[in-house]
Amino acid sequence: MSIGNAIRFMNNADRDSSFRKSLYKINGIEEFQKFQNSEDLEFSNDEFEEAFNHLHSECQFAEQADTLFNLKHLFELIICDTK
């Protein structure tokens, strides 16, 4: 697992519409973990947060930050465990 994978995940979700559409179909953390494995993008929630903070610190424009926050919200919706 790595922060680099989390950064690649966010970049793919931002730039690749087919990748993003695949994310919209995921229902829960187990499906997300299978998706991560199939895409070779394993990372933990903590690594995602570190990657998010790193990318957020590099944002130069509000639009970049908005996009990043939208990706974070998408990630949170995907991994939300409805107990």
Side-chain angles (χ1 to χ4, degrees), residues 11-28:
N11 286 335
N12 289 347
D14 180 37
R15 298 179 183 144
D16 183 344
S17 62
S18 64
F19 184 89
R20 193 169 42 257
K21 286 177 186 177
S22 296
L23 293 175
Y24 294 146
K25 296 176 185 177
I26 295 172
N27 186 18

PDB file of all heavy atoms in Angstrom, residues 11-28:
ATOM      1  N   ASN A  11      -5.790  10.942  -9.345  1.00  0.00           N
ATOM      2  CA  ASN A  11      -5.515  11.443 -10.698  1.00  0.00           C
ATOM      3  C   ASN A  11      -6.345  10.692 -11.736  1.00  0.00           C
ATOM      4  O   ASN A  11      -6.908  11.310 -12.649  1.00  0.00           O
ATOM      5  CB  ASN A  11      -4.024  11.326 -11.023  1.00  0.00           C
ATOM      6  CG  ASN A  11      -3.197  12.356 -10.297  1.00  0.00           C
ATOM      7  OD1 ASN A  11      -3.679  13.421  -9.929  1.00  0.00           O
ATOM      8  ND2 ASN A  11      -1.932  12.049 -10.080  1.00  0.00           N
ATOM      9  N   ASN A  12      -6.441   9.366 -11.596  1.00  0.00           N
ATOM     10  CA  ASN A  12      -7.247   8.576 -12.527  1.00  0.00           C
ATOM     11  C   ASN A  12      -8.723   8.955 -12.434  1.00  0.00           C
ATOM     12  O   ASN A  12      -9.392   9.100 -13.456  1.00  0.00           O
ATOM     13  CB  ASN A  12      -7.083   7.080 -12.266  1.00  0.00           C
ATOM     14  CG  ASN A  12      -5.732   6.547 -12.666  1.00  0.00           C
ATOM     15  OD1 ASN A  12      -4.965   7.198 -13.358  1.00  0.00           O
ATOM     16  ND2 ASN A  12      -5.423   5.354 -12.211  1.00  0.00           N
ATOM     17  N   ALA A  13      -9.206   9.116 -11.211  1.00  0.00           N
ATOM     18  CA  ALA A  13     -10.615   9.473 -11.019  1.00  0.00           C
ATOM     19  C   ALA A  13     -10.919  10.848 -11.597  1.00  0.00           C
ATOM     20  O   ALA A  13     -12.016  11.093 -12.097  1.00  0.00           O
ATOM     21  CB  ALA A  13     -10.971   9.429  -9.538  1.00  0.00           C
ATOM     22  N   ASP A  14      -9.941  11.730 -11.565  1.00  0.00           N
ATOM     23  CA  ASP A  14     -10.125  13.082 -12.096  1.00  0.00           C
ATOM     24  C   ASP A  14     -10.059  13.118 -13.614  1.00  0.00           C
ATOM     25  O   ASP A  14     -10.860  13.794 -14.262  1.00  0.00           O
ATOM     26  CB  ASP A  14      -9.062  14.016 -11.505  1.00  0.00           C
ATOM     27  CG  ASP A  14      -9.185  15.449 -11.999  1.00  0.00           C
ATOM     28  OD1 ASP A  14     -10.328  15.927 -12.186  1.00  0.00           O
ATOM     29  OD2 ASP A  14      -8.135  16.092 -12.192  1.00  0.00           O
ATOM     30  N   ARG A  15      -9.146  12.355 -14.197  1.00  0.00           N
ATOM     31  CA  ARG A  15      -8.838  12.500 -15.624  1.00  0.00           C
ATOM     32  C   ARG A  15      -9.439  11.437 -16.542  1.00  0.00           C
ATOM     33  O   ARG A  15      -9.509  11.641 -17.751  1.00  0.00           O
ATOM     34  CB  ARG A  15      -7.322  12.498 -15.803  1.00  0.00           C
ATOM     35  CG  ARG A  15      -6.672  13.662 -15.095  1.00  0.00           C
ATOM     36  CD  ARG A  15      -5.180  13.639 -15.245  1.00  0.00           C
ATOM     37  NE  ARG A  15      -4.606  14.738 -14.477  1.00  0.00           N
ATOM     38  CZ  ARG A  15      -3.477  14.670 -13.829  1.00  0.00           C
ATOM     39  NH1 ARG A  15      -2.757  13.568 -13.874  1.00  0.00           N
ATOM     40  NH2 ARG A  15      -3.027  15.709 -13.149  1.00  0.00           N
ATOM     41  N   ASP A  16      -9.850  10.307 -15.979  1.00  0.00           N
ATOM     42  CA  ASP A  16     -10.292   9.182 -16.800  1.00  0.00           C
ATOM     43  C   ASP A  16     -11.773   8.902 -16.543  1.00  0.00           C
ATOM     44  O   ASP A  16     -12.143   8.357 -15.503  1.00  0.00           O
ATOM     45  CB  ASP A  16      -9.443   7.960 -16.464  1.00  0.00           C
ATOM     46  CG  ASP A  16      -9.748   6.745 -17.308  1.00  0.00           C
ATOM     47  OD1 ASP A  16     -10.811   6.699 -17.957  1.00  0.00           O
ATOM     48  OD2 ASP A  16      -8.922   5.816 -17.301  1.00  0.00           O
ATOM     49  N   SER A  17     -12.612   9.249 -17.499  1.00  0.00           N
ATOM     50  CA  SER A  17     -14.060   9.117 -17.296  1.00  0.00           C
ATOM     51  C   SER A  17     -14.497   7.659 -17.138  1.00  0.00           C
ATOM     52  O   SER A  17     -15.407   7.370 -16.368  1.00  0.00           O
ATOM     53  CB  SER A  17     -14.836   9.790 -18.422  1.00  0.00           C
ATOM     54  OG  SER A  17     -14.561   9.181 -19.654  1.00  0.00           O
ATOM     55  N   SER A  18     -13.852   6.730 -17.824  1.00  0.00           N
ATOM     56  CA  SER A  18     -14.244   5.320 -17.673  1.00  0.00           C
ATOM     57  C   SER A  18     -13.857   4.800 -16.289  1.00  0.00           C
ATOM     58  O   SER A  18     -14.592   4.012 -15.685  1.00  0.00           O
ATOM     59  CB  SER A  18     -13.649   4.457 -18.779  1.00  0.00           C
ATOM     60  OG  SER A  18     -12.253   4.437 -18.706  1.00  0.00           O
ATOM     61  N   PHE A  19     -12.726   5.234 -15.775  1.00  0.00           N
ATOM     62  CA  PHE A  19     -12.300   4.877 -14.421  1.00  0.00           C
ATOM     63  C   PHE A  19     -13.324   5.410 -13.420  1.00  0.00           C
ATOM     64  O   PHE A  19     -13.776   4.698 -12.526  1.00  0.00           O
ATOM     65  CB  PHE A  19     -10.912   5.467 -14.145  1.00  0.00           C
ATOM     66  CG  PHE A  19     -10.317   5.094 -12.818  1.00  0.00           C
ATOM     67  CD1 PHE A  19      -9.544   3.954 -12.689  1.00  0.00           C
ATOM     68  CD2 PHE A  19     -10.504   5.902 -11.705  1.00  0.00           C
ATOM     69  CE1 PHE A  19      -8.977   3.614 -11.468  1.00  0.00           C
ATOM     70  CE2 PHE A  19      -9.942   5.572 -10.477  1.00  0.00           C
ATOM     71  CZ  PHE A  19      -9.173   4.419 -10.359  1.00  0.00           C
ATOM     72  N   ARG A  20     -13.709   6.665 -13.592  1.00  0.00           N
ATOM     73  CA  ARG A  20     -14.678   7.315 -12.695  1.00  0.00           C
ATOM     74  C   ARG A  20     -16.036   6.606 -12.763  1.00  0.00           C
ATOM     75  O   ARG A  20     -16.674   6.374 -11.741  1.00  0.00           O
ATOM     76  CB  ARG A  20     -14.804   8.792 -13.043  1.00  0.00           C
ATOM     77  CG  ARG A  20     -15.516   9.626 -12.037  1.00  0.00           C
ATOM     78  CD  ARG A  20     -15.394  11.127 -12.293  1.00  0.00           C
ATOM     79  NE  ARG A  20     -15.532  11.529 -13.686  1.00  0.00           N
ATOM     80  CZ  ARG A  20     -14.528  11.877 -14.496  1.00  0.00           C
ATOM     81  NH1 ARG A  20     -13.291  11.882 -14.055  1.00  0.00           N
ATOM     82  NH2 ARG A  20     -14.764  12.239 -15.744  1.00  0.00           N
ATOM     83  N   LYS A  21     -16.466   6.228 -13.960  1.00  0.00           N
ATOM     84  CA  LYS A  21     -17.740   5.516 -14.100  1.00  0.00           C
ATOM     85  C   LYS A  21     -17.686   4.178 -13.371  1.00  0.00           C
ATOM     86  O   LYS A  21     -18.685   3.747 -12.792  1.00  0.00           O
ATOM     87  CB  LYS A  21     -18.077   5.317 -15.572  1.00  0.00           C
ATOM     88  CG  LYS A  21     -18.527   6.588 -16.249  1.00  0.00           C
ATOM     89  CD  LYS A  21     -18.795   6.365 -17.728  1.00  0.00           C
ATOM     90  CE  LYS A  21     -19.105   7.692 -18.415  1.00  0.00           C
ATOM     91  NZ  LYS A  21     -19.294   7.526 -19.856  1.00  0.00           N
ATOM     92  N   SER A  22     -16.550   3.518 -13.392  1.00  0.00           N
ATOM     93  CA  SER A  22     -16.390   2.263 -12.654  1.00  0.00           C
ATOM     94  C   SER A  22     -16.556   2.496 -11.154  1.00  0.00           C
ATOM     95  O   SER A  22     -17.151   1.671 -10.450  1.00  0.00           O
ATOM     96  CB  SER A  22     -15.020   1.643 -12.911  1.00  0.00           C
ATOM     97  OG  SER A  22     -14.879   1.292 -14.252  1.00  0.00           O
ATOM     98  N   LEU A  23     -16.059   3.620 -10.680  1.00  0.00           N
ATOM     99  CA  LEU A  23     -16.180   3.943  -9.258  1.00  0.00           C
ATOM    100  C   LEU A  23     -17.634   4.141  -8.856  1.00  0.00           C
ATOM    101  O   LEU A  23     -18.047   3.745  -7.769  1.00  0.00           O
ATOM    102  CB  LEU A  23     -15.381   5.207  -8.917  1.00  0.00           C
ATOM    103  CG  LEU A  23     -13.872   5.112  -9.031  1.00  0.00           C
ATOM    104  CD1 LEU A  23     -13.236   6.468  -8.781  1.00  0.00           C
ATOM    105  CD2 LEU A  23     -13.331   4.078  -8.055  1.00  0.00           C
ATOM    106  N   TYR A  24     -18.412   4.767  -9.739  1.00  0.00           N
ATOM    107  CA  TYR A  24     -19.816   5.026  -9.429  1.00  0.00           C
ATOM    108  C   TYR A  24     -20.609   3.736  -9.238  1.00  0.00           C
ATOM    109  O   TYR A  24     -21.640   3.733  -8.567  1.00  0.00           O
ATOM    110  CB  TYR A  24     -20.473   5.855 -10.525  1.00  0.00           C
ATOM    111  CG  TYR A  24     -19.943   7.259 -10.673  1.00  0.00           C
ATOM    112  CD1 TYR A  24     -19.870   7.849 -11.926  1.00  0.00           C
ATOM    113  CD2 TYR A  24     -19.518   7.997  -9.587  1.00  0.00           C
ATOM    114  CE1 TYR A  24     -19.383   9.145 -12.088  1.00  0.00           C
ATOM    115  CE2 TYR A  24     -19.022   9.284  -9.732  1.00  0.00           C
ATOM    116  CZ  TYR A  24     -18.968   9.857 -10.975  1.00  0.00           C
ATOM    117  OH  TYR A  24     -18.492  11.133 -11.122  1.00  0.00           O
ATOM    118  N   LYS A  25     -20.139   2.644  -9.799  1.00  0.00           N
ATOM    119  CA  LYS A  25     -20.842   1.364  -9.714  1.00  0.00           C
ATOM    120  C   LYS A  25     -20.495   0.582  -8.455  1.00  0.00           C
ATOM    121  O   LYS A  25     -21.148  -0.406  -8.138  1.00  0.00           O
ATOM    122  CB  LYS A  25     -20.517   0.516 -10.941  1.00  0.00           C
ATOM    123  CG  LYS A  25     -20.998   1.124 -12.234  1.00  0.00           C
ATOM    124  CD  LYS A  25     -20.565   0.288 -13.411  1.00  0.00           C
ATOM    125  CE  LYS A  25     -20.936   0.974 -14.724  1.00  0.00           C
ATOM    126  NZ  LYS A  25     -20.450   0.215 -15.874  1.00  0.00           N
ATOM    127  N   ILE A  26     -19.475   1.011  -7.730  1.00  0.00           N
ATOM    128  CA  ILE A  26     -19.005   0.289  -6.549  1.00  0.00           C
ATOM    129  C   ILE A  26     -19.953   0.536  -5.382  1.00  0.00           C
ATOM    130  O   ILE A  26     -20.358   1.666  -5.125  1.00  0.00           O
ATOM    131  CB  ILE A  26     -17.564   0.718  -6.186  1.00  0.00           C
ATOM    132  CG1 ILE A  26     -16.608   0.301  -7.300  1.00  0.00           C
ATOM    133  CG2 ILE A  26     -17.148   0.127  -4.849  1.00  0.00           C
ATOM    134  CD1 ILE A  26     -15.210   0.832  -7.134  1.00  0.00           C
ATOM    135  N   ASN A  27     -20.273  -0.549  -4.693  1.00  0.00           N
ATOM    136  CA  ASN A  27     -21.182  -0.462  -3.556  1.00  0.00           C
ATOM    137  C   ASN A  27     -20.515  -1.069  -2.329  1.00  0.00           C
ATOM    138  O   ASN A  27     -20.560  -2.275  -2.124  1.00  0.00           O
ATOM    139  CB  ASN A  27     -22.495  -1.188  -3.881  1.00  0.00           C
ATOM    140  CG  ASN A  27     -23.524  -1.008  -2.798  1.00  0.00           C
ATOM    141  OD1 ASN A  27     -23.415  -0.112  -1.974  1.00  0.00           O
ATOM    142  ND2 ASN A  27     -24.521  -1.861  -2.796  1.00  0.00           N
ATOM    143  N   GLY A  28     -19.872  -0.252  -1.550  1.00  0.00           N
ATOM    144  CA  GLY A  28     -19.273  -0.709  -0.302  1.00  0.00           C
ATOM    145  C   GLY A  28     -17.789  -0.981  -0.382  1.00  0.00           C
ATOM    146  O   GLY A  28     -17.178  -1.035  -1.447  1.00  0.00           O
TER     147      GLY A  28
END
